[in-house]
Amino acid sequence: MVEGLRPGARGRARAAVGRALAQVTGRTLGPYQSAVVRIGFAATWLFFLLREFPHRHELYGPEGPWSWGMAERLIASNRAFTVLMWSDATWWFELVYGVSILASVLLMLGWRTRATSVGFMIGVLSLQNRSVFMGDGGDNVVHLMAMYLVLTRCARVWSLDARRARLRGSASAGAAGPVLWSALGLLFAYGAVTGRFGAGWLAAFAALWVALGLWWLVDRFEPEGEGRAALDVLANLLHNAGMLVIMAEVCLIYATAGWYKIQGSRWQDGTALYYPLGLDYFTPWPGLSGLLAGSGTMVMLLTYGTVAVQVAFPFTLFNRRIKNVLLAVMMLEHAGIAVLLGLPFFSLAMIAADAVFLPTVFLVWLGARAARPHRRRGPAAEEPSPQPPLDAPSPTPARVAP
């Protein structure tokens, strides 16, 4: 297509392509957005695991209504991944549940994120695929984002890895390290030898294990060489592709939800919100729900407004002002769902997903406000230079940390 243009236009097109490639390969786009997504989903899953800790055996363990045999037959047919089906022993379930909590804490703090993101994904997939009927919709979002986060360099800012990189001058303080790498290798080796992994999962985990080891070796013995530069390019490509997939996923969630609502008669006549407000299961605050349900005008406005915002949002991404307004409205909507309908974890998951579209200027301001008390108590830590949002031009590419 470039060859078919006139010489002047051809040169401009090649320059534009070159700039785009430099952006995609030379920069970690959206570092603040990826950090918020990391913190949001790790915190959401952590709070859920802690909230359901007294009921963990009924939800995902040996005492649940979804028995071991039923789960085994389902997984044999759909080939879903879960390490909980490796043994029906109680100690194994407790170990997996405990490791899931630990991985969530470490990922939220941003410690050794290259390894802890893999552990987080294993914990999420293992528990959710063990009992597929547990959840309120937010579990599906966490399920997907846990896999996407493995691809991203989500600890560039607001993480222990970033802090260690500044203190030590290391370019990749978040590398897995030999201990974590060996632990993951033992897990993958056991799954491969015993046939617990399907072919696809075996290839995926083997690639992850090799990549984690290679990154640590190159960073340890050739931190400034060509090998490290090549790994940086590949890591940037994966990160930027992962962020693009996360953004596309959020748009698909809202687009499909909005267009399916349009087809429903209750959404068309503006009464859809009225009915869940009358169900005991969705009324943690009966007085507040009754007050809202008693206003037909408010019910109609909220019903139509929900559909309009969900359908319109994917089309507003190229207009920042309108996008930011709708983004704030959607976050407030999910906060209202958490309070009115008693679905806090679903709302937290959706707010964390929405955060991928938050403007960088706002996130930098938020980070500065959060760090202000710490700076008053001790010496100021060097803050990474703000980076523009995903859809804005940015300066010359620079070496970045994972």
Side-chain angles (χ1 to χ4, degrees):
M1 185 173 66
V2 175
E3 284 73 10
L5 301 175
R6 286 183 294 181
R10 187 184 307 169
R12 290 192 295 271
R14 287 177 175 173
V17 172
R19 287 193 298 269
L21 287 175
Q23 290 292 317
V24 173
T25 61
R27 291 183 61 84
T28 300
L29 300 178
Y32 290 93
Q33 288 82 356
S34 62
V36 172
V37 171
R38 182 199 85 233
I39 296 170
F41 279 102
T44 299
W45 186 240
L46 173 63
F47 294 157
F48 175 80
L49 294 179
L50 295 178
R51 168 62 179 83
E52 302 299 343
F53 189 82
H55 315 290
R56 63 191 184 282
H57 290 280
E58 291 79 10
L59 289 175
Y60 302 111
E63 300 175 11
W66 189 249
S67 67
W68 171 271
M70 297 168 68
E72 191 173 36
R73 288 195 294 272
L74 177 63
I75 291 173
S77 63
N78 62 14
R79 307 300 296 173
F81 171 80
T82 170
V83 299
L84 283 179
M85 299 309 297
W86 291 7
S87 172
D88 60 353
T90 303
W91 70 266
W92 177 246
F93 168 76
E94 297 288 0
L95 177 62
V96 173
Y97 201 94
V99 170
S100 298
I101 293 177
L102 179 61
S104 301
V105 173
L106 295 179
L107 183 64
M108 183 174 64
L109 297 176
W111 183 82
R112 300 292 183 184
T113 48
R114 292 194 176 278
T116 53
S117 62
V118 177
F120 178 76
M121 179 186 68
I122 292 174
V124 170
L125 298 183
S126 296
L127 291 170
Q128 291 187 355
N129 289 336
R130 167 63 177 85
S131 299
V132 295
F133 297 108
M134 301 299 173
D136 53 14
D139 58 310
N140 293 328
V141 182
V142 176
H143 191 113
L144 293 171
M145 297 302 172
M147 293 186 287
Y148 300 153
L149 280 174
V150 174
L151 303 176
T152 64
R153 310 179 82 172
C154 54
R156 284 275 291 111
V157 296
W158 299 344
S159 68
L160 295 178
D161 288 346
R163 181 177 182 273
R164 189 186 306 111
R166 290 195 300 271
L167 294 178
R168 299 182 180 179
S170 171
S172 62
V179 176
L180 288 175
W181 182 77
S182 300
L184 290 173
L186 290 174
L187 177 68
F188 301 158
Y190 176 79
V193 171
T194 58
R196 301 290 185 178
F197 287 151
W201 284 110
L202 180 60
F205 282 125
L208 283 174
W209 184 68
V210 171
L212 290 175
L214 182 62
W215 188 276
W216 181 83
L217 287 173
V218 171
D219 181 65
R220 181 69 179 273
F221 299 106
E222 196 184 1
E224 301 296 334
E226 295 182 358
R228 174 54 200 267
L231 288 181
D232 270 334
V233 170
L234 292 175
N236 288 336
L237 283 172
L238 285 176
H239 168 88
N240 296 331
M243 292 295 290
L244 180 62
V245 171
I246 291 174
M247 296 168 68
E249 188 69 42
V250 175
C251 290
L252 285 174
I253 290 173
Y254 283 117
T256 53
W259 287 105
Y260 271 112
K261 286 182 175 67
I262 287 177
Q263 302 175 46
S265 59
R266 295 291 177 263
W267 291 95
Q268 292 175 6
D269 60 26
T271 61
L273 183 61
Y274 173 82
Y275 297 98
L277 293 175
L279 299 176
D280 293 338
Y281 184 78
F282 293 109
T283 53
W285 310 98
L288 183 59
S289 299
L291 181 64
L292 180 58
S295 173
T297 302
M298 185 61 66
V299 169
M300 182 188 67
L301 290 176
L302 290 176
T303 302
Y304 286 153
T306 298
V307 176
V309 168
Q310 290 182 348
V311 172
F313 178 73
F315 299 100
T316 65
L317 297 182
F318 299 101
N319 188 309
R320 293 186 190 176
R321 293 183 179 179
I322 299 178
K323 182 263 294 182
N324 291 338
V325 171
L326 291 188
L327 189 61
V329 170
M330 289 191 302
M331 288 185 169
L332 291 174
E333 174 191 344
H334 289 303
I337 290 174
V339 175
L340 287 174
L341 302 182
L343 298 173
F345 298 108
F346 166 78
S347 298
L348 284 174
M350 289 308 304
I351 291 174
D354 293 342
V356 73
F357 293 107
L358 287 174
T360 302
V361 174
F362 170 75
L363 292 176
V364 171
W365 173 84
L366 187 65
R369 295 281 296 182
R372 185 172 298 174
H374 171 71
R375 290 175 178 174
R376 289 174 180 173
R377 292 192 299 266
E382 182 182 353
E383 180 71 16
S385 58
Q387 296 194 29
L390 298 179
D391 55 348
S394 54
T396 304
R399 175 67 60 86
V400 292

